[in-house]
Amino acid sequence: MLYSPLFWIACAVLLFWAVGAYNRLVRLRSAAIQAFGGLDAHLVRMQAMLAECDAAHAGAEGVVEQARMALQGAATQFGANLAVARARPLQPAGAAALSTGRDVLDAAWAQLLRVREDEDGPAAVITWRQRWEEHQAQSRVAVEQFNDAVAQYNAAITQFPARLLAWLFGFTPAKAL
């Protein structure tokens, strides 16, 4: 049996399949991580805009100051959540932290704009609102690309027999945003 050419041919086919399947899993995982890099770039630009907004409202008083401080705290927490997600973009905990941070940041931003609009009128926030919408639109596209890459990766690691390689090499399912 060990000297049979069919045995060695079957072993060679199995080896080449395993190498190809492993490379596919690595390629899909890398594509998901790369897609997160694109999203990360948009989120960093959004943080820069938030810092500009914070500086622009630094002399505010009263309710606007409270809303600004809440936004500043949310932005700081979001930055920490982004750092966690950046370290391990395909881990469920990082994705959950980033999603939660984005929700808190969105709420704080809406509150600041609402308070500022009540104090100074709609003209005072129109530029900030437009910039925020541009950042949100770009982020949505980047999130969709990341989620598509994660879906392809997750589908690949659940297919049999690649599931065996995924288990053997520690490929775990990723969480979409």
Side-chain angles (χ1 to χ4, degrees):
M1 178 75 180
L2 254 102
Y3 298 108
S4 168
L6 288 177
F7 173 76
W8 290 109
I9 290 172
C11 286
V13 167
L14 183 64
L15 176 69
F16 287 124
W17 170 84
V19 169
Y22 175 80
N23 286 340
R24 177 175 179 248
L25 293 175
V26 169
R27 189 173 54 252
L28 289 171
R29 183 176 58 185
S30 294
I33 291 170
Q34 203 169 24
F36 183 83
L39 173 62
D40 185 27
H42 289 292
L43 296 177
V44 166
R45 283 196 295 273
M46 185 176 70
Q47 283 184 303
M49 188 207 64
L50 291 171
E52 279 181 54
C53 181
D54 186 48
H57 294 96
E61 295 179 3
V63 181
V64 175
E65 175 63 12
Q66 291 173 351
R68 184 185 76 82
M69 293 302 289
L71 179 63
Q72 188 179 41
T76 302
Q77 183 61 42
F78 177 74
N81 292 348
L82 181 58
V84 168
R86 189 181 288 142
R88 294 182 177 253
L90 300 182
Q91 295 298 317
L98 188 59
S99 292
T100 301
R102 283 185 60 178
D103 292 342
V104 170
L105 188 63
D106 288 344
W109 177 259
Q111 177 65 21
L112 176 66
L113 290 185
R114 196 170 28 258
V115 167
R116 179 85 195 281
E117 194 171 41
D118 290 346
E119 292 277 323
D120 301 329
V125 296
I126 190 96
T127 304
W128 292 113
R129 194 177 303 273
Q130 287 172 345
R131 289 182 65 192
W132 180 259
E133 288 303 320
E134 289 170 9
H135 283 288
Q136 292 295 83
Q138 292 170 353
S139 288
R140 275 190 293 274
V141 170
V143 165
E144 286 175 17
Q145 290 172 345
F146 174 72
N147 288 344
D148 289 344
V150 164
Q152 290 176 357
Y153 167 74
N154 285 342
I157 65 171
T158 59
Q159 293 173 343
F160 184 81
R163 181 182 323 163
L164 299 174
L165 286 176
W167 172 77
L168 183 65
F169 291 106
F171 290 93
T172 57
K175 183 172 179 357
L177 295 176

